[in-house]
Amino acid sequence: MAAPSRNTCGLMERSVRERVPPLLTDLYQFTMAYAYWRAGRHQEPAVFELFFRDNPFGGGFSLFAGLHDCLLFLRSFRFSDEDVEFLRSVLPPATDPAFFQFLRGLDCSGVTVRSVPEGTVVFARVPLMEVAGPLAVVQLLETSLLCLVNYASLVCSNAARFRLAAGPRRKLLEMGLRRAQGPDGGLTASRYTHIGGFDLTSNVQAGFLFGIPVAGTMAHSYVTSFTSLEEVWPQTLVAVNGDPEPVDVISLTKSWLSRVCELLGAEPEKIREGELAAFLSYAVAYPQNFLPVIDSYSVGCSGLLNFCAVALALCELGHRPVGVRLDSGDLCKQSVDVRRVFRLCREHFSIPAFDSLIIVGTNNISEQSLAELNKKENEISVVGVGTHLVTCTKQPSLGCVYKLVEVRGRPRMKISEDPEKSTVPGRKAVYRLVDADGHPFLDLLCLTVEPPPEAGLPLSCYPQGCDNSAVSVTPAQVTCLRQEVFTKGQITQSLCSAAETRAKVQSSLQALHPRHKRLQEPDSYTVALSEKLHNLITEIQRGSSHGSNFLLAN
Amino acid sequence: MAAPSRNTCGLMERSVRERVPPLLTDLYQFTMAYAYWRAGRHQEPAVFELFFRDNPFGGGFSLFAGLHDCLLFLRSFRFSDEDVEFLRSVLPPATDPAFFQFLRGLDCSGVTVRSVPEGTVVFARVPLMEVAGPLAVVQLLETSLLCLVNYASLVCSNAARFRLAAGPRRKLLEMGLRRAQGPDGGLTASRYTHIGGFDLTSNVQAGFLFGIPVAGTMAHSYVTSFTSLEEVWPQTLVAVNGDPEPVDVISLTKSWLSRVCELLGAEPEKIREGELAAFLSYAVAYPQNFLPVIDSYSVGCSGLLNFCAVALALCELGHRPVGVRLDSGDLCKQSVDVRRVFRLCREHFSIPAFDSLIIVGTNNISEQSLAELNKKENEISVVGVGTHLVTCTKQPSLGCVYKLVEVRGRPRMKISEDPEKSTVPGRKAVYRLVDADGHPFLDLLCLTVEPPPEAGLPLSCYPQGCDNSAVSVTPAQVTCLRQEVFTKGQITQSLCSAAETRAKVQSSLQALHPRHKRLQEPDSYTVALSEKLHNLITEIQRGSSHGSNFLLAN
């Protein structure tokens, strides 16, 4: 059941403002902002970079998502009087009152953001967003931007992995709302799993807000709420394009059920009357959308037989049943059994519609169980995924960080005792180098002052995470990975719809070489530093080891 | 830094209405509601139960949370015209238009909820909430209630485990906003980890909305943004209760730094001037709240020395430095080293304030690493936890379910081929049996028609998950675990503040016997069925195996 796409940009901006008020951040952003303000440094031009340090799920790539909401957040970033009053109550009493006036007047009119487009395949240690502006302001944005990018990118990447595991043809349904981190977690999951490659969601609000097609029919509670055929109402149905006289569907279904039992050699006394009543009631309500869950009791002894009986009755009246859902046990084996029964019915009763019945599988599906589906014989055409998708069981956090790389035009670097936590200094340009087959093979970080690499010309660079040796590469194509998306308080790129971003994900994944796309033990993608950037780091580290000896200078 | 508590009930109800609109649910709730309506069954009295099947994190208990939001959700549950129009566009075209009028008029005035109080220690397979009302309405509530309870209870339980691992004295700071499932996930995490036993949060909005004390001082970016002492401004500070003449803090600090280096035999040329400038700037801005992160470069060679110098200067001027934060490496070992240096300074320079400096540790803390802290020598008095706390890495979903147990006064049961997925039928009362020492030892599920167990009298019951044998127990006390919290559209218990629920958590945990509270391999707590309930199940299962043979009946 497809939802119409809606123009909901205004709605979403309001929603971002409500979901991400400027106080939704860590306190230390304010204490630092005050210290900068007090030292008169708050207006100094500063540059932060947002990136993650490891590709998620032990994979070879990630997807970048959340930019859309970041931009709406930046555009509406402003403190209300109430916000400022609260901050006044929280910061130490000695805080200069003029600082709160400064906060009251703050906005992002001085901020410029360069970013990878939303939905792009990205790699660890590549700066995805560059946020430049007055030091105090860009510092204040940290937590909110991380919060908006981290989970969106993670769950989008997770969805893409499920999509790769499922293969291109199987339909994927997201149904994780009840297992997400609260209401907004659930909504965010629906939105970004669709972008990552899921076809459908069970979440109606996600359909409403983002135009994602919604799907769903019935739960076990519906089935178990019925006990007898007396509860079926109305008990008649009118045939399509035929006799306008209503037909007694209970008698019709019971006669089909007898024939099905006979055909399959089933024991009629094991069939649950309540289940048949539930199916029949649903079929009467939705004669064109009949897709019951058939394992509330026993698939083989009851659910499948009841389904066939109701579906055959519907077919006789010219309606078209849709299929069944399996929600427990060995989905592959059961789906094969179910399909065999469908074929038997189709042949024995000459009902061609039984050829196109679909089988939906939903039972705690993980990326691994989905990958296994592809190895075993099965007849499942739609897979519903909840918990493992939305909670990202395999790795529940992406770990994006936001690091200072330049202040007042001077490169800044964190030289940690833990080399993993050191940062790459300086304001950068990021280029994606593509080979002759159209596959990206290297992301190059340069200083912005450097000329861009040229297609067809060899260049020397320093792959990260290797020893300190240079390699020479010759790209067939070069693309600049980031674009300016926000400046002077305005969003400078048109915001993409979920559908556009979803298409971007697919094309970006398509271009990626299978060796990087492999879900297990992928080849690692090279991220390299230009010679100039490499030299800058060496220089800073050398300077650092010398120290400044300021103690003696005075 | 403590935030004042606020009366934010109206604000929170509005927020719940916005966060949990009635469309934020699975589509099948609507398709089922329509099928009920079409069959004239939508007003039939029905009862659902909400419970989880396994205690989270391999532990012996869980905490129940999310009720407050559930009640606000129920009170405001109503479809707008826009909601209904969207549903019309999503449901099959043949859906009777009168159904949408029915939806438009729906509310929870016919719903009654009995629930365990928020913040109570609870166990797997105990029905936590009973939701009774018109079949179609109580079905429609399923996903939203699950979504509100699942993560709240999970993260609250996770926080309680961290609290147990940390011991009662250590302060715990939640700082997971940037790693949560989006903004609302982060806010929910802050709220329920506080309830579960955390003392502080970094999340300012959580302080604003829930009155949770907020904390935080500086990030590494603040430290690395400074390069030289010239950036310190103002360069003077006035002494407390002394000479009103401003003192040159740069000279003062440098002289202290020389003395510290001499005392510790440190090499002055390894000290980072930028770090000292950052500390000094912060100290000038917050002379009473000085708590820098000291591992941006090297704790032993630079950060600790710089801290001591600034702190000694502050002390000389009558201010009181607070402490340091360690954010990488072996926190235990470093904290011991840091404390030793504090003691040396205290003795050598006769500065008593150095005795009360605190050490904050924050470095990817998990429940396990926190438990290990207690086994090793360390001097950490405040621990900050982010990712592992809010994403509940060990088990990112609680798996609450919502199952139908009665329709029209008749018990309903799902008899699955997977016995784990079978349900316990009938409307129940739940009693907690307490031993003579005040420890709960058994939760008893009875049918509501049964008389409650009496203190001091032996009773026979059937523990779940065991073989089918009865045991006899004699409670010293009996409490009825659930109370009516919602009826006729109204909340019938006063809503608890976060602080009240937090206290409830602590007293509920206090009463729990250590053998159930153990984080590793706890004894499993007994949940048992009354004899009558046990017999009912046997009866239904027997009836089910006979089948109704309705095929022959007509």
Side-chain angles (χ1 to χ4, degrees), chain A residues 26-27 31 41 139 150 178 181 184 202 217 221 224-225 227 231 254 272 298 408 412 544 554, chain B residues 26-27 31 41 139 150 178 181 184 202 217 221 224-225 227 231 254 272 408 412 417 544 554:
Chain A
D26 295 308
L27 181 65
T31 53
R41 297 191 59 206
Q139 180 67 66
N150 253 328
R178 64 187 67 185
Q181 282 183 11
D184 180 62
S202 69
T217 58
S221 59
T224 57
S225 82
T227 47
E231 289 160 322
K254 281 168 85 170
R272 310 287 306 207
S298 160
R408 271 186 292 133
R412 307 307 309 143
S544 141
N554 190 12
Chain B
D26 295 308
L27 182 65
T31 54
R41 298 191 59 207
Q139 180 67 66
N150 253 328
R178 62 186 68 186
Q181 284 184 11
D184 178 63
S202 69
T217 57
S221 59
T224 57
S225 82
T227 47
E231 290 160 322
K254 281 167 84 170
R272 309 287 307 206
R408 272 186 293 133
R412 310 304 310 143
E417 291 182 326
S544 141
N554 189 12

Side-chain angles (χ1 to χ4, degrees), chain A residues 58-321:
Chain A
F61 69 93
S62 180
L63 288 162
F64 173 62
L67 177 62
H68 184 287
D69 277 5
C70 288
L71 295 174
L72 295 180
F73 164 73
L74 293 173
R75 187 159 69 184
S76 68
F77 182 83
R78 225 158 271 117
F79 294 94
S80 68
D81 285 333
E82 205 184 6
D83 294 335
V84 170
E85 282 319 299
F86 181 71
L87 287 169
R88 196 191 297 272
S89 75
V90 168
L91 291 177
T95 310
D96 188 331
F99 174 65
F100 298 106
Q101 278 165 33
F102 161 71
L103 282 184
R104 188 67 186 85
L106 267 195
D107 61 25
C108 285
S109 55
V111 175
T112 297
V113 178
R114 297 178 56 79
S115 173
V116 169
E118 182 146 19
T120 307
V121 165
V122 292
F123 306 99
R125 305 201 153 262
V126 173
L128 307 173
M129 291 172 77
E130 179 198 85
V131 184
L135 181 54
V137 180
V138 289
Q139 180 67 66
L140 280 173
L141 303 174
E142 173 178 21
T143 311
S144 316
L145 296 179
L146 287 174
C147 183
L148 289 171
V149 169
N150 253 328
Y151 179 63
S153 296
L154 182 74
V155 80
C156 186
S157 306
N158 201 25
R161 290 176 63 92
F162 274 83
R163 166 51 70 206
L164 289 170
R169 278 182 314 280
R170 231 186 282 278
K171 289 248 181 219
L172 290 176
L173 161 68
E174 177 272 321
M175 38 179 253
L177 175 55
R178 64 187 67 185
R179 303 294 162 83
Q181 282 183 11
D184 180 62
L187 202 54
T188 308
S190 300
R191 178 176 176 190
Y192 292 103
T193 54
H194 180 62
I195 286 173
F198 271 59
D199 305 285
L200 304 156
T201 181
S202 69
N203 183 340
V204 182
Q205 183 75 2
F208 178 66
L209 286 179
F210 312 119
I212 306 172
V214 290
T217 58
M218 72 172 70
H220 295 292
S221 59
Y222 177 82
V223 178
T224 57
S225 82
F226 285 82
T227 47
S228 99
L229 287 169
E230 285 163 26
E231 289 160 322
V232 178
W233 192 264
Q235 304 191 331
T236 58
L237 201 57
V238 176
V240 179
N241 306 325
D243 195 337
E245 195 65 26
V247 177
D248 172 354
V249 278
I250 296 191
S251 304
L252 181 64
T253 302
K254 281 168 85 170
S255 87
W256 273 114
L257 186 55
S258 295
R259 294 168 70 185
V260 169
C261 285
E262 201 179 316
L263 171 67
L264 303 173
E267 300 168 67
E269 66 278 9
K270 287 199 173 161
I271 290 171
R272 310 287 306 207
E273 181 178 348
E275 188 182 53
L276 182 65
F279 290 5
L280 206 40
S281 273
Y282 198 91
V284 169
Y286 291 124
Q288 303 287 6
N289 296 79
F290 181 54
L291 192 156
V293 58
I294 61 169
D295 62 341
S296 295
Y297 302 104
S298 160
V299 174
C301 296
S302 182
L304 180 56
L305 307 166
N306 281 330
F307 170 79
C308 288
V310 176
L312 287 162
L314 284 175
C315 288
E316 184 176 330
L317 298 176
H319 295 289
R320 223 185 155 78

Side-chain angles (χ1 to χ4, degrees), chain B residues 403-472:
Chain B
K403 296 293 174 188
L404 183 68
V405 295
E406 189 184 282
V407 181
R408 272 186 293 133
R410 292 171 58 184
R412 310 304 310 143
M413 179 176 178
K414 177 167 181 280
I415 305 166
S416 176
E417 291 182 326
D418 177 355
E420 272 288 293
K421 285 197 167 182
S422 290
T423 58
V424 178
R427 194 161 192 173
K428 304 174 193 75
V430 184
Y431 299 100
R432 180 155 288 179
L433 276 46
V434 178
D435 67 19
D437 298 326
H439 298 303
F441 69 94
L442 186 146
D443 281 6
L444 180 71
L445 316 188
C446 304
L447 290 168
T448 35
V449 293
E450 295 184 70
E454 281 179 55
L457 292 185
L459 66 95
S460 171
C461 60
Y462 290 78
Q464 285 195 292
C466 300
D467 52 4
N468 256 337
S469 53
V471 298
S472 177

Side-chain angles (χ1 to χ4, degrees), chain B residues 86-161:
Chain B
F86 181 71
L87 287 169
R88 199 192 296 273
S89 75
V90 168
L91 291 175
T95 309
D96 187 332
F99 174 65
F100 297 106
Q101 278 164 30
F102 161 72
L103 282 184
R104 188 69 185 84
L106 266 195
D107 62 24
C108 285
S109 55
V111 175
T112 297
V113 179
R114 294 177 59 78
S115 174
V116 168
E118 182 145 20
T120 307
V121 165
V122 291
F123 307 98
R125 305 203 152 261
V126 173
L128 308 173
M129 291 173 77
E130 178 198 87
V131 184
L135 181 53
V137 179
V138 288
Q139 180 67 66
L140 280 173
L141 303 175
E142 174 178 22
T143 311
S144 316
L145 296 179
L146 287 174
C147 183
L148 288 171
V149 169
N150 253 328
Y151 178 64
S153 297
L154 182 75
V155 81
C156 186
S157 307
N158 201 27
R161 290 176 63 90

